[in-house]
Amino acid sequence: MFGRYFVQRVLQLIPVLILVSVAVFLIIRIIPGDPVLVMLGIDPEERARISEEQYESLKHQLGYDRPIYVQYINWVSRIVQGDMGLSLRSRRPIFDVIFERYPATLYLALTALLTGVLIAIPTGVIAAMRQNTSVDYAAMGFALWGIAVPNFWLALMLIVLFSLKLGWLPSIGYASPFENPWLFLQHVFLPAIVMGTDLAAPLTRYIRAEMLEQLTQDYVRTAWAKGLPARMVIVRHALKNSLIAAVTVIGLQTARLLGGSTIVETVFSWPGVGRLLIEGIYSRDYPIVQGAVLLIAVTFVFINLFVDMVYKWLDPRIKLE
């Protein structure tokens, strides 16, 4: 059953991925700048440094002299074969460049996800159990604050406090969790707090609202009447059903953490895909930008698919149709 549903959903995702690829390809072409001059390291004002023959020859080699639809078909056909092309600046395979950075983004996203979940679930549950008390008001205040505060501002404030004032943690840099776990934790702590807070803020509100609804259901009243321990009633009954709605938030936020951590990675000089995307935009490196954005889109789509599968595990009544 799961296998059949998975295949059906993957087939349904193909048109979505095609539309995404078209959008990415066309939007990148709108960015001002000449990729040929970028590759040569020449400013537009210095165009006279190369002859027209040299310019046209290189443009032909890159394929930018062909119609736009031909360029798109060639680009997609290479991607299907596992070839994303070459970076205009470094002349390295884009696949290698992106997946050198992807593990760093993955480690940061997973750490931030764990941080956000560890903050949101207990906070939301406690707020629901202590409804209309000071604890509840404090939890909702935290949620509103987390939604309102921009990531870049919180990142800068944490750097000022923990790096510049207290000197406890490094403000920039990266270390592999497999080569030096302790150094990795030191470097990942601040960006994980920033991104984890961004995740925890809306998730806390969802869990609180769902918990309040589940606690009024008949099956919870029955569990209390049967004398079941409070921990079992809250965790195994109310919380599990409350997580169904929360899974949507977690799934969407996880996709954003993996692909949309551009600002945080830039502030903390974290060598991930988000920072690579910014570098590609600044340098007008079209293939890098296209590859990075496409990876983000594919990640987002397949995480949504994973979320649908988790729905079935949390609530067997949901039919996979």
Side-chain angles (χ1 to χ4, degrees), residues 97-119:
V97 174
I98 290 179
F99 282 93
E100 279 181 1
R101 302 288 194 99
Y102 195 70
T105 295
L106 183 62
Y107 301 148
L108 175 58
L110 292 177
T111 308
L113 175 63
L114 179 62
T115 302
V117 170
L118 289 178
I119 294 173

Side-chain angles (χ1 to χ4, degrees), residues 50 64 105 148 310:
I50 62 171
Y64 291 123
T105 295
V310 174

Side-chain angles (χ1 to χ4, degrees), residues 199-220:
L199 166 64
L203 185 57
T204 298
R205 298 180 65 186
Y206 272 91
I207 292 177
R208 175 186 178 274
E210 287 297 316
M211 280 292 295
L212 289 175
E213 181 178 350
Q214 295 300 324
L215 289 173
T216 61
Q217 298 297 315
D218 291 338
Y219 75 91
V220 174

Side-chain angles (χ1 to χ4, degrees), residues 101-243:
R101 302 288 194 99
Y102 195 70
T105 295
L106 183 62
Y107 301 148
L108 175 58
L110 292 177
T111 308
L113 175 63
L114 179 62
T115 302
V117 170
L118 289 178
I119 294 173
I121 291 180
T123 304
V125 172
I126 294 173
M129 298 299 296
R130 301 285 191 272
Q131 185 182 13
N132 297 328
T133 65
S134 58
V135 174
D136 185 20
Y137 297 146
M140 290 303 94
F142 161 75
L144 293 175
W145 175 82
I147 294 172
V149 172
N151 279 350
F152 73 89
W153 183 87
L154 180 58
L156 294 175
M157 293 302 100
L158 292 179
I159 289 175
V160 170
L161 176 60
F162 290 99
S163 299
L164 301 181
K165 297 294 184 181
L166 301 176
W168 290 354
L169 297 168
S171 59
I172 60 174
Y174 168 77
S176 171
F178 300 104
E179 296 177 0
N180 194 329
W182 175 242
L183 188 60
F184 168 77
L185 291 176
Q186 290 179 312
H187 282 292
V188 81
F189 184 83
L190 295 183
I193 288 295
V194 174
M195 297 172 64
T197 301
D198 192 34
L199 166 64
L203 185 57
T204 298
R205 298 180 65 186
Y206 272 91
I207 292 177
R208 175 186 178 274
E210 287 297 316
M211 280 292 295
L212 289 175
E213 181 178 350
Q214 295 300 324
L215 289 173
T216 61
Q217 298 297 315
D218 291 338
Y219 75 91
V220 174
R221 295 195 184 99
T222 302
W224 287 118
K226 291 169 62 178
L228 295 178
R231 181 177 179 181
M232 181 177 295
V233 175
I234 295 172
V235 176
R236 295 188 58 182
H237 291 76
L239 180 58
K240 182 177 179 180
N241 288 287
S242 300
L243 289 178

